[in-house]
Amino acid sequence: MIGIAVSAPLEREDAIVREAARHGHRVVIRAATATDLVERVAARSPEAEPRIDLVLVVADARHASRQLVDACDERGLRLVAFADDEGERVRAATLGLDAVSWSDGFGAIEAAIAPGAADPGPDRPRGRVIAVWGPSGAPGRTTAAIALAAELALLGRRVALVDADTTSAAVAPSLGLLDESPGFAAAARLARAGSLTVDELDRIAQAVPTMGGVVQVLTGIGRASRWPELGGERVAEVLARCRDWVDATVVDVAASLERDEEISSDLFAPRRHAATIATLEAADDVVVMAGGDPVAVARLVRALPELREVAPQARVRVVVNKVRPGAIGVAPERAVHETLRRLAQVTPEACWPFDGRAADAALLEGRPLVDVAGRSRLRRRVQELAATLSPQPVPVSRASLRAAERPRRSWRAALR
Protein backbone atom coordinates (compact mmCIF):
# COMPACT_ATOMS: atom_id res chain seq x y z
CA MET A 1 0.00 0.00 0.00
CA ILE A 2 1.18 3.52 -0.78
CA GLY A 3 0.00 6.78 0.74
CA ILE A 4 -1.14 9.39 -1.77
CA ALA A 5 -1.67 13.15 -1.67
CA VAL A 6 -4.00 14.50 -4.35
CA SER A 7 -4.80 17.88 -5.87
CA ALA A 8 -7.36 17.73 -8.67
CA PRO A 9 -10.84 18.97 -9.65
CA LEU A 10 -13.47 17.47 -7.34
CA GLU A 11 -14.86 14.86 -9.75
CA ARG A 12 -11.38 13.67 -10.72
CA GLU A 13 -10.33 13.69 -7.06
CA ASP A 14 -13.25 11.42 -6.11
CA ALA A 15 -12.38 9.07 -8.96
CA ILE A 16 -8.73 8.94 -7.84
CA VAL A 17 -9.80 8.05 -4.29
CA ARG A 18 -12.00 5.22 -5.57
CA GLU A 19 -9.34 3.83 -7.92
CA ALA A 20 -6.63 4.07 -5.27
CA ALA A 21 -8.77 2.11 -2.80
CA ARG A 22 -9.57 -0.48 -5.45
CA HIS A 23 -5.84 -1.04 -6.00
CA GLY A 24 -5.10 -1.29 -2.28
CA HIS A 25 -3.74 2.24 -1.75
CA ARG A 26 -4.86 5.11 0.46
CA VAL A 27 -5.39 8.81 -0.21
CA VAL A 28 -3.97 10.67 2.81
CA ILE A 29 -4.38 14.31 1.70
CA ARG A 30 -6.98 15.89 -0.58
CA ALA A 31 -6.21 19.49 -1.53
CA ALA A 32 -8.21 21.89 -3.68
CA THR A 33 -5.17 23.74 -5.07
CA ALA A 34 -1.43 23.35 -5.39
CA THR A 35 -0.91 26.09 -2.79
CA ASP A 36 -3.14 24.27 -0.33
CA LEU A 37 -1.29 21.02 -0.97
CA VAL A 38 2.09 22.67 -0.36
CA GLU A 39 0.89 24.02 2.99
CA ARG A 40 -0.57 20.71 4.11
CA VAL A 41 2.50 18.72 3.08
CA ALA A 42 4.75 21.23 4.87
CA ALA A 43 2.67 20.99 8.05
CA ARG A 44 2.83 17.20 8.10
CA SER A 45 5.58 15.52 10.09
CA PRO A 46 7.76 13.09 8.08
CA GLU A 47 7.15 10.47 10.79
CA ALA A 48 3.36 10.82 10.63
CA GLU A 49 1.39 7.71 9.72
CA PRO A 50 0.20 6.82 7.21
CA ARG A 51 3.16 8.25 5.36
CA ILE A 52 2.91 9.96 1.97
CA ASP A 53 4.74 8.15 -0.82
CA LEU A 54 3.23 9.81 -3.88
CA VAL A 55 1.71 13.13 -4.93
CA LEU A 56 -0.84 13.08 -7.75
CA VAL A 57 -1.97 16.30 -9.43
CA VAL A 58 -3.71 17.42 -12.58
CA ALA A 59 -1.25 19.35 -14.75
CA ASP A 60 -3.13 22.64 -14.91
CA ALA A 61 -2.37 26.07 -13.44
CA ARG A 62 -4.61 25.50 -10.41
CA HIS A 63 -3.25 22.15 -9.28
CA ALA A 64 0.41 22.04 -10.44
CA SER A 65 2.97 24.72 -9.66
CA ARG A 66 6.71 25.23 -9.37
CA GLN A 67 6.31 25.71 -5.59
CA LEU A 68 4.72 22.28 -5.35
CA VAL A 69 7.55 20.69 -7.34
CA ASP A 70 10.13 22.30 -5.06
CA ALA A 71 8.24 21.22 -1.93
CA CYS A 72 8.09 17.62 -3.13
CA ASP A 73 11.79 17.65 -4.01
CA GLU A 74 12.62 19.02 -0.58
CA ARG A 75 10.77 16.16 1.12
CA GLY A 76 11.78 13.43 -1.31
CA LEU A 77 8.21 12.87 -2.55
CA ARG A 78 7.44 11.35 -5.96
CA LEU A 79 5.25 13.68 -8.04
CA VAL A 80 3.18 12.44 -10.99
CA ALA A 81 0.79 14.55 -13.08
CA PHE A 82 -2.33 13.68 -15.06
CA ALA A 83 -2.13 15.25 -18.52
CA ASP A 84 -5.05 14.55 -20.82
CA ASP A 85 -4.85 17.42 -23.30
CA GLU A 86 -2.10 19.33 -25.06
CA GLY A 87 -2.11 22.23 -22.60
CA GLU A 88 -1.68 19.90 -19.63
CA ARG A 89 1.07 17.96 -21.37
CA VAL A 90 2.94 21.19 -22.11
CA ARG A 91 2.62 22.34 -18.49
CA ALA A 92 3.81 18.97 -17.19
CA ALA A 93 6.83 19.13 -19.49
CA THR A 94 7.57 22.72 -18.43
CA LEU A 95 7.58 21.71 -14.76
CA GLY A 96 9.60 18.58 -15.49
CA LEU A 97 6.88 16.21 -14.29
CA ASP A 98 6.23 12.62 -15.26
CA ALA A 99 2.84 12.61 -16.95
CA VAL A 100 0.23 9.88 -17.37
CA SER A 101 -3.19 9.92 -18.94
CA TRP A 102 -6.29 9.17 -16.88
CA SER A 103 -7.56 7.02 -19.70
CA ASP A 104 -4.57 4.70 -19.21
CA GLY A 105 -5.95 3.67 -15.81
CA PHE A 106 -4.42 3.50 -12.36
CA GLY A 107 -2.02 0.82 -13.54
CA ALA A 108 -0.13 3.50 -15.49
CA ILE A 109 0.46 5.36 -12.23
CA GLU A 110 1.75 2.24 -10.52
CA ALA A 111 4.07 1.59 -13.46
CA ALA A 112 5.37 5.16 -13.29
CA ILE A 113 6.27 4.90 -9.61
CA ALA A 114 7.54 1.32 -9.62
CA PRO A 115 11.16 1.19 -8.40
CA GLY A 116 13.52 0.87 -11.33
CA ALA A 117 10.69 1.29 -13.86
CA ALA A 118 12.95 3.42 -16.03
CA ASP A 119 16.15 1.51 -15.32
CA PRO A 120 18.18 0.24 -18.26
CA GLY A 121 18.13 -3.37 -19.28
CA PRO A 122 20.71 -5.84 -18.02
CA ASP A 123 22.67 -5.78 -21.29
CA ARG A 124 23.69 -2.15 -20.89
CA PRO A 125 26.98 -1.65 -19.01
CA ARG A 126 26.82 0.51 -15.92
CA GLY A 127 28.45 3.91 -15.94
CA ARG A 128 31.65 4.91 -14.15
CA VAL A 129 32.10 7.31 -11.25
CA ILE A 130 35.06 9.68 -11.52
CA ALA A 131 35.84 11.67 -8.38
CA VAL A 132 37.86 14.87 -8.65
CA TRP A 133 39.61 15.43 -5.34
CA GLY A 134 42.61 17.30 -4.06
CA PRO A 135 44.21 18.43 -0.80
CA SER A 136 43.33 21.76 0.79
CA GLY A 137 44.14 24.96 -1.02
CA ALA A 138 42.90 25.87 -4.47
CA PRO A 139 44.39 23.25 -6.80
CA GLY A 140 41.61 23.66 -9.39
CA ARG A 141 39.23 20.82 -8.50
CA THR A 142 36.08 22.50 -9.82
CA THR A 143 37.69 23.81 -13.01
CA ALA A 144 39.07 20.33 -13.69
CA ALA A 145 35.76 18.60 -13.00
CA ILE A 146 33.87 20.89 -15.37
CA ALA A 147 36.53 20.61 -18.07
CA LEU A 148 36.72 16.81 -17.82
CA ALA A 149 32.93 16.45 -18.00
CA ALA A 150 32.83 18.55 -21.17
CA GLU A 151 35.68 16.58 -22.76
CA LEU A 152 33.98 13.26 -21.99
CA ALA A 153 30.81 14.59 -23.62
CA LEU A 154 32.89 15.53 -26.66
CA LEU A 155 34.04 11.91 -26.82
CA GLY A 156 30.42 10.86 -27.20
CA ARG A 157 29.71 9.84 -23.61
CA ARG A 158 26.56 10.65 -21.71
CA VAL A 159 27.94 12.63 -18.80
CA ALA A 160 26.72 13.94 -15.46
CA LEU A 161 28.56 16.52 -13.39
CA VAL A 162 27.82 16.34 -9.66
CA ASP A 163 28.82 18.92 -7.06
CA ALA A 164 29.24 17.02 -3.78
CA ASP A 165 31.44 19.64 -2.13
CA THR A 166 29.93 20.29 1.31
CA THR A 167 32.25 23.15 2.23
CA SER A 168 32.40 25.41 -0.84
CA ALA A 169 30.25 24.17 -3.72
CA ALA A 170 31.29 26.07 -6.85
CA VAL A 171 30.02 24.22 -9.95
CA ALA A 172 26.81 26.27 -10.27
CA PRO A 173 28.44 29.73 -10.09
CA SER A 174 31.28 28.55 -12.31
CA LEU A 175 28.75 27.61 -15.00
CA GLY A 176 26.44 30.57 -14.39
CA LEU A 177 23.57 28.35 -13.28
CA LEU A 178 20.60 29.28 -11.14
CA ASP A 179 20.60 26.88 -8.20
CA GLU A 180 17.79 27.89 -5.85
CA SER A 181 17.02 24.17 -5.53
CA PRO A 182 20.33 22.27 -5.45
CA GLY A 183 19.98 19.18 -7.60
CA PHE A 184 22.30 16.94 -5.62
CA ALA A 185 20.47 17.66 -2.35
CA ALA A 186 17.14 16.93 -4.07
CA ALA A 187 18.54 13.63 -5.37
CA ALA A 188 19.73 12.73 -1.87
CA ARG A 189 16.26 13.37 -0.43
CA LEU A 190 14.65 11.21 -3.10
CA ALA A 191 17.21 8.48 -2.39
CA ARG A 192 16.32 8.57 1.29
CA ALA A 193 12.64 8.16 0.40
CA GLY A 194 13.43 5.25 -1.93
CA SER A 195 12.00 7.08 -4.94
CA LEU A 196 15.14 8.09 -6.86
CA THR A 197 14.93 6.86 -10.45
CA VAL A 198 16.62 7.70 -13.72
CA ASP A 199 13.58 9.76 -14.71
CA GLU A 200 13.81 11.74 -11.48
CA LEU A 201 17.49 12.46 -12.14
CA ASP A 202 16.56 13.72 -15.60
CA ARG A 203 13.98 16.01 -14.03
CA ILE A 204 16.08 17.58 -11.29
CA ALA A 205 19.32 17.94 -13.26
CA GLN A 206 20.15 21.07 -15.22
CA ALA A 207 21.16 20.42 -18.82
CA VAL A 208 24.28 22.41 -19.74
CA PRO A 209 25.06 22.51 -23.47
CA THR A 210 28.73 22.27 -24.42
CA MET A 211 30.55 22.03 -27.73
CA GLY A 212 30.39 18.23 -27.66
CA GLY A 213 26.94 17.67 -26.20
CA VAL A 214 24.82 18.18 -23.13
CA VAL A 215 26.21 17.64 -19.63
CA GLN A 216 23.62 16.91 -16.94
CA VAL A 217 24.50 18.89 -13.81
CA LEU A 218 23.40 18.21 -10.24
CA THR A 219 24.27 21.46 -8.50
CA GLY A 220 25.65 21.55 -4.97
CA ILE A 221 24.38 23.06 -1.74
CA GLY A 222 24.64 26.84 -1.72
CA ARG A 223 25.24 27.10 2.02
CA ALA A 224 27.80 24.93 3.81
CA SER A 225 25.42 24.69 6.80
CA ARG A 226 23.25 22.32 4.74
CA TRP A 227 25.87 19.54 4.84
CA PRO A 228 23.67 17.20 6.99
CA GLU A 229 21.43 16.72 3.93
CA LEU A 230 24.25 14.83 2.20
CA GLY A 231 24.67 11.78 4.40
CA GLY A 232 27.00 9.01 3.32
CA GLU A 233 24.29 6.44 2.56
CA ARG A 234 22.28 8.93 0.51
CA VAL A 235 25.33 9.99 -1.49
CA ALA A 236 26.24 6.36 -2.20
CA GLU A 237 22.67 5.65 -3.36
CA VAL A 238 22.63 8.67 -5.68
CA LEU A 239 25.95 7.69 -7.27
CA ALA A 240 24.76 4.10 -7.68
CA ARG A 241 21.69 5.36 -9.52
CA CYS A 242 23.86 7.66 -11.63
CA ARG A 243 25.62 4.56 -12.99
CA ASP A 244 22.31 3.59 -14.60
CA TRP A 245 21.68 7.14 -15.79
CA VAL A 246 24.84 8.12 -17.69
CA ASP A 247 28.09 6.65 -18.94
CA ALA A 248 30.32 8.79 -16.72
CA THR A 249 29.58 10.72 -13.54
CA VAL A 250 32.20 13.33 -12.67
CA VAL A 251 31.98 14.34 -8.99
CA ASP A 252 33.59 17.43 -7.50
CA VAL A 253 34.26 16.86 -3.78
CA ALA A 254 35.75 18.77 -0.86
CA ALA A 255 39.31 18.34 0.37
CA SER A 256 38.94 17.03 3.92
CA LEU A 257 39.13 13.29 4.56
CA GLU A 258 38.55 13.59 8.30
CA ARG A 259 36.40 10.90 9.87
CA ASP A 260 34.90 12.80 12.80
CA GLU A 261 33.30 9.68 14.31
CA GLU A 262 36.74 8.91 15.72
CA ILE A 263 36.39 11.85 18.11
CA SER A 264 32.64 11.69 18.62
CA SER A 265 30.79 9.75 21.27
CA ASP A 266 27.70 9.62 19.03
CA LEU A 267 28.57 7.10 16.33
CA PHE A 268 25.20 7.60 14.61
CA ALA A 269 25.41 11.39 14.27
CA PRO A 270 25.74 12.94 10.78
CA ARG A 271 29.32 13.23 9.55
CA ARG A 272 30.63 16.56 8.27
CA HIS A 273 32.67 15.03 5.44
CA ALA A 274 30.52 11.98 4.71
CA ALA A 275 29.81 13.12 1.13
CA THR A 276 33.51 13.20 0.27
CA ILE A 277 34.24 9.86 1.93
CA ALA A 278 31.24 8.13 0.32
CA THR A 279 32.14 9.49 -3.13
CA LEU A 280 35.74 8.33 -2.91
CA GLU A 281 34.65 4.91 -1.66
CA ALA A 282 32.30 4.57 -4.66
CA ALA A 283 34.68 5.95 -7.30
CA ASP A 284 36.23 3.91 -10.08
CA ASP A 285 38.80 6.64 -10.77
CA VAL A 286 40.04 9.42 -8.51
CA VAL A 287 41.62 12.38 -10.28
CA VAL A 288 43.83 13.98 -7.63
CA MET A 289 44.42 17.67 -8.26
CA ALA A 290 47.46 19.31 -6.67
CA GLY A 291 48.89 22.78 -7.10
CA GLY A 292 52.22 23.26 -8.85
CA ASP A 293 54.16 24.91 -6.03
CA PRO A 294 56.25 23.51 -3.14
CA VAL A 295 53.54 24.01 -0.50
CA ALA A 296 50.86 22.30 -2.59
CA VAL A 297 53.16 19.40 -3.50
CA ALA A 298 53.99 18.90 0.18
CA ARG A 299 50.27 18.78 0.99
CA LEU A 300 49.79 16.17 -1.73
CA VAL A 301 52.59 13.97 -0.39
CA ARG A 302 51.03 13.99 3.09
CA ALA A 303 47.49 13.40 1.81
CA LEU A 304 48.07 10.49 -0.59
CA PRO A 305 48.41 7.73 2.07
CA GLU A 306 45.12 8.79 3.65
CA LEU A 307 43.43 8.84 0.25
CA ARG A 308 44.59 5.29 -0.46
CA GLU A 309 43.05 4.15 2.81
CA VAL A 310 39.70 5.72 1.90
CA ALA A 311 39.63 4.57 -1.74
CA PRO A 312 41.76 1.42 -2.10
CA GLN A 313 39.61 0.18 -5.00
CA ALA A 314 39.97 3.26 -7.19
CA ARG A 315 42.58 4.00 -9.79
CA VAL A 316 44.34 7.14 -8.57
CA ARG A 317 45.48 9.58 -11.24
CA VAL A 318 47.62 12.42 -9.89
CA VAL A 319 47.46 15.69 -11.82
CA VAL A 320 49.72 18.58 -10.85
CA ASN A 321 48.04 21.81 -11.93
CA LYS A 322 49.33 25.37 -12.38
CA VAL A 323 52.87 24.19 -13.09
CA ARG A 324 55.13 27.20 -13.79
CA PRO A 325 58.85 28.03 -13.59
CA GLY A 326 58.24 30.98 -11.26
CA ALA A 327 57.08 28.69 -8.44
CA ILE A 328 59.36 25.68 -8.93
CA GLY A 329 62.28 26.77 -11.06
CA VAL A 330 63.73 25.75 -14.39
CA ALA A 331 62.18 22.62 -15.98
CA PRO A 332 59.17 22.61 -13.61
CA GLU A 333 57.54 19.43 -14.94
CA ARG A 334 60.76 17.47 -14.51
CA ALA A 335 61.12 18.83 -10.97
CA VAL A 336 57.54 17.79 -10.11
CA HIS A 337 58.07 14.25 -11.44
CA GLU A 338 61.32 13.77 -9.56
CA THR A 339 59.94 15.17 -6.31
CA LEU A 340 56.84 12.97 -6.30
CA ARG A 341 58.76 9.84 -7.27
CA ARG A 342 61.25 10.45 -4.47
CA LEU A 343 58.83 11.48 -1.70
CA ALA A 344 55.62 9.62 -2.56
CA GLN A 345 56.64 6.88 -5.01
CA VAL A 346 54.11 8.34 -7.45
CA THR A 347 54.40 9.26 -11.10
CA PRO A 348 51.97 12.04 -12.05
CA GLU A 349 49.46 11.20 -14.74
CA ALA A 350 49.84 14.72 -16.09
CA CYS A 351 51.24 18.16 -15.39
CA TRP A 352 48.96 20.98 -16.45
CA PRO A 353 50.47 24.39 -17.22
CA PHE A 354 49.47 27.56 -15.42
CA ASP A 355 47.10 29.20 -17.91
CA GLY A 356 45.24 31.94 -16.09
CA ARG A 357 44.00 33.47 -19.32
CA ALA A 358 42.15 30.32 -20.40
CA ALA A 359 40.80 29.61 -16.91
CA ASP A 360 39.61 33.20 -16.50
CA ALA A 361 37.88 33.12 -19.88
CA ALA A 362 36.00 29.95 -18.92
CA LEU A 363 34.94 31.48 -15.60
CA LEU A 364 33.89 34.76 -17.19
CA GLU A 365 31.75 33.03 -19.82
CA GLY A 366 30.41 30.36 -17.46
CA ARG A 367 31.44 27.63 -19.89
CA PRO A 368 33.99 24.78 -20.02
CA LEU A 369 37.50 25.29 -21.35
CA VAL A 370 36.75 23.45 -24.58
CA ASP A 371 34.10 26.04 -25.48
CA VAL A 372 36.14 29.20 -24.86
CA ALA A 373 39.82 28.20 -25.09
CA GLY A 374 39.84 25.13 -27.29
CA ARG A 375 43.39 25.70 -28.56
CA SER A 376 44.99 26.49 -25.22
CA ARG A 377 47.70 24.26 -23.78
CA LEU A 378 45.62 23.70 -20.66
CA ARG A 379 42.62 22.48 -22.63
CA ARG A 380 44.78 20.08 -24.65
CA ARG A 381 46.17 18.54 -21.45
CA VAL A 382 42.64 18.10 -20.08
CA GLN A 383 41.65 16.45 -23.36
CA GLU A 384 44.51 13.98 -23.07
CA LEU A 385 43.45 12.96 -19.56
CA ALA A 386 39.81 12.60 -20.60
CA ALA A 387 40.87 10.22 -23.36
CA THR A 388 42.44 7.91 -20.77
CA LEU A 389 39.24 8.03 -18.71
CA SER A 390 37.19 7.03 -21.77
CA PRO A 391 39.34 4.47 -23.61
CA GLN A 392 36.62 3.56 -26.13
CA PRO A 393 35.38 6.83 -27.63
CA VAL A 394 31.98 7.01 -29.27
CA PRO A 395 31.38 9.24 -32.34
CA VAL A 396 29.67 12.50 -31.46
CA SER A 397 26.11 12.56 -32.78
CA ARG A 398 24.58 15.42 -34.72
CA ALA A 399 21.82 15.55 -32.13
CA SER A 400 24.40 16.26 -29.44
CA LEU A 401 25.94 19.03 -31.50
CA ARG A 402 22.50 20.57 -32.09
CA ALA A 403 21.77 20.36 -28.38
CA ALA A 404 24.95 22.28 -27.65
CA GLU A 405 23.48 25.27 -29.52
CA ARG A 406 20.35 25.51 -27.37
CA PRO A 407 20.07 28.38 -24.87
CA ARG A 408 20.28 27.60 -21.15
CA ARG A 409 19.17 29.26 -17.95
CA SER A 410 21.84 31.44 -16.42
CA TRP A 411 22.05 33.97 -13.62
CA ARG A 412 24.15 36.11 -15.95
CA ALA A 413 21.29 36.16 -18.47
CA ALA A 414 18.84 36.97 -15.69
CA LEU A 415 20.86 40.08 -14.81
CA ARG A 416 20.79 41.46 -18.33
Side-chain angles (χ1 to χ4, degrees):
M1 183 186 80
I2 61 175
I4 303 173
V6 175
S7 180
L10 185 58
E11 291 185 2
R12 177 64 56 83
E13 184 180 296
D14 290 339
I16 292 171
V17 172
R18 290 194 300 270
E19 283 297 302
R22 194 165 68 85
H23 285 76
H25 308 304
R26 179 177 178 181
V27 173
V28 180
I29 294 178
R30 300 175 66 167
T33 65
T35 302
D36 182 29
L37 184 54
V38 169
E39 292 174 354
R40 295 182 64 180
V41 167
R44 186 180 177 83
S45 170
E47 291 78 24
E49 292 293 339
R51 59 176 289 179
I52 297 174
D53 304 292
L54 171 68
V55 177
L56 286 177
V57 298
V58 170
D60 58 21
R62 180 177 175 81
H63 302 97
S65 67
R66 173 57 59 187
Q67 290 74 22
L68 178 60
V69 173
D70 292 342
C72 290
D73 284 347
E74 184 176 344
R75 290 161 181 80
L77 297 176
R78 189 80 159 87
L79 180 58
V80 176
F82 288 112
D84 293 303
D85 59 39
E86 186 61 28
E88 291 175 351
R89 285 189 286 271
V90 169
R91 184 169 184 81
T94 301
L95 294 175
L97 302 179
D98 290 329
V100 297
S101 173
W102 178 253
S103 60
D104 292 335
F106 206 87
I109 300 170
E110 293 179 314
I113 65 175
D119 287 355
D123 294 335
R124 175 182 156 188
R126 303 194 77 202
R128 299 180 64 81
V129 174
I130 302 166
V132 180
W133 175 85
S136 58
R141 290 184 297 268
T142 300
T143 299
I146 294 171
L148 284 171
E151 294 292 348
L152 289 169
L154 189 63
L155 291 171
R157 300 300 185 190
R158 290 171 300 166
V159 182
L161 174 62
V162 174
D163 193 341
D165 190 329
T166 53
T167 60
S168 54
V171 168
S174 296
L175 290 174
L177 298 177
L178 298 171
D179 63 338
E180 298 93 340
S181 300
F184 192 49
R189 287 190 291 270
L190 290 167
R192 182 186 182 189
S195 55
L196 183 63
T197 63
V198 170
D199 287 340
E200 286 293 295
L201 288 169
D202 275 330
R203 182 178 64 80
I204 62 181
Q206 295 197 45
V208 175
T210 71
M211 180 178 292
V214 172
V215 175
Q216 300 290 342
V217 179
L218 294 177
T219 54
I221 53 177
R223 297 189 304 275
S225 60
R226 295 182 60 179
W227 65 264
E229 298 179 34
L230 303 180
E233 292 183 359
R234 301 187 200 180
V235 170
E237 175 62 28
V238 173
L239 295 181
R241 184 59 64 187
C242 285
R243 292 181 184 274
D244 298 327
W245 180 36
V246 292
D247 299 319
T249 303
V250 181
V251 191
D252 181 18
V253 295
S256 180
L257 300 179
E258 294 178 4
R259 295 181 181 268
D260 40 4
E261 64 266 23
E262 295 177 0
I263 57 174
S264 172
S265 59
D266 185 358
L267 297 180
F268 299 99
R271 303 302 171 199
R272 181 68 175 83
H273 307 294
T276 297
I277 302 295
T279 299
L280 294 174
E281 289 176 343
D284 300 295
D285 296 272
V286 178
V287 177
V288 179
M289 301 299 301
D293 59 78
V295 174
V297 171
R299 287 173 175 164
L300 172 65
V301 171
R302 290 193 294 267
L304 280 175
E306 191 173 1
L307 172 66
R308 293 193 180 100
E309 290 180 6
V310 173
Q313 81 297 335
R315 176 172 179 180
V316 175
R317 303 168 184 266
V318 175
V319 176
V320 182
N321 191 22
K322 305 179 186 179
V323 176
R324 57 204 185 277
I328 297 181
V330 180
E333 291 193 16
R334 178 180 176 182
V336 166
H337 277 258
E338 291 180 352
T339 300
L340 289 178
R341 279 199 298 266
R342 178 166 50 89
L343 298 180
Q345 293 76 53
V346 165
T347 300
E349 187 92 4
C351 288
W352 291 356
F354 180 74
D355 193 344
R357 186 174 182 179
D360 287 348
L363 188 61
L364 178 64
E365 294 295 327
R367 300 185 70 81
L369 281 168
V370 65
D371 287 12
V372 298
R375 296 184 179 181
S376 67
R377 289 179 59 211
L378 177 58
R379 183 263 159 166
R380 289 199 296 271
R381 296 293 179 88
V382 176
Q383 184 184 35
E384 291 169 0
L385 179 61
T388 68
L389 293 168
S390 180
Q392 297 177 343
V394 180
V396 180
S397 68
R398 294 182 180 179
S400 295
L401 294 175
R402 286 196 299 271
E405 299 174 357
R406 297 173 188 163
R408 61 190 172 100
R409 290 190 302 141
S410 165
W411 61 265
R412 292 183 175 88
L415 293 176
R416 291 181 185 140

